[in-house]
Amino acid sequence: MKLQEAIESLKKRGYKTTAKRKDILSFFAKADGYRTAKDLLQHMEPAYKGISFDTVYRNLHLFDEVGILETTELNGEKHFRISCNQQHHHHFICKDCGKTKAINVCPMDQVESDLGNYAIEGHKFEIYGLCPLCQAV
């Protein structure tokens, strides 16, 4: 999802597109991979003196709820990235830098046959490790 698509998505759902929200979305649109609320707060503080963690989290939760951001948990902390909106795929996620690489293989074909009569409502498949750059450090 690109920045303008994310802004339009908010508008369509009746949410205000304030400068602060646009800056948050811009941060994630430029980020290469997952980022934390703390990363966002550090990015926002110079432009918005006194911005609270609560404001950051409220917006992150809203963007996740409306499908603009994707979330994952790394090292016990929630991380966010702008949604891909590509065809169905999964990710490798670097545990150090948060970069992602799309994985176009899905294990659900096997899982669905193993679960037979079960009604699967959704799934999430992620692989964690170190990207080539982080391995070199």
Side-chain angles (χ1 to χ4, degrees):
M1 181 177 294
K2 293 186 170 85
L3 177 60
Q4 197 55 44
E5 289 176 76
I7 292 169
E8 290 304 316
S9 185
L10 270 183
K11 286 180 183 177
K12 284 179 190 173
R13 288 174 172 84
Y15 293 102
K16 293 180 183 177
T17 53
T18 63
K20 197 177 291 180
R21 285 185 173 164
K22 288 178 183 176
D23 287 347
I24 291 170
L25 292 171
S26 178
F27 171 77
F28 285 103
K30 293 176 185 172
D32 184 18
Y34 283 91
R35 298 291 173 256
T36 65
K38 184 179 177 184
D39 295 334
L40 175 60
L41 187 64
Q42 289 172 344
H43 170 77
M44 300 288 287
E45 280 178 332
Y48 300 95
K49 300 287 183 210
I51 188 171
S52 72
F53 224 68
D54 187 48
T55 297
V56 166
Y57 264 107
R58 230 184 5 261
N59 281 287
L60 291 174
H61 179 72
L62 169 67
F63 297 158
D64 178 38
E65 200 174 273
V66 298
I68 294 171
L69 295 180
E70 297 174 358
T71 64
T72 193
E73 192 167 311
L74 290 170
N75 304 319
E77 186 175 11
K78 206 167 201 178
H79 286 63
F80 305 85
R81 67 172 263 145
I82 200 112
S83 290
C84 295
N85 282 359
Q86 298 174 0
Q87 70 183 49
H88 183 80
H89 68 283
H90 299 283
H91 294 112
F92 170 88
I93 304 168
C94 181
K95 289 172 57 176
D96 279 356
C97 71
K99 285 186 181 180
T100 63
K101 179 165 176 49
I103 302 167
N104 294 316
V105 174
C106 180
M108 285 306 293
D109 293 336
Q110 179 63 43
V111 171
E112 286 173 336
S113 72
D114 288 351
L115 291 177
N117 296 338
Y118 290 79
I120 299 169
E121 295 180 359
H123 72 281
K124 187 173 185 177
F125 178 69
E126 297 171 336
I127 298 175
Y128 304 98
L130 298 176
C131 70
L133 288 176
C134 290
Q135 287 180 61
V137 177

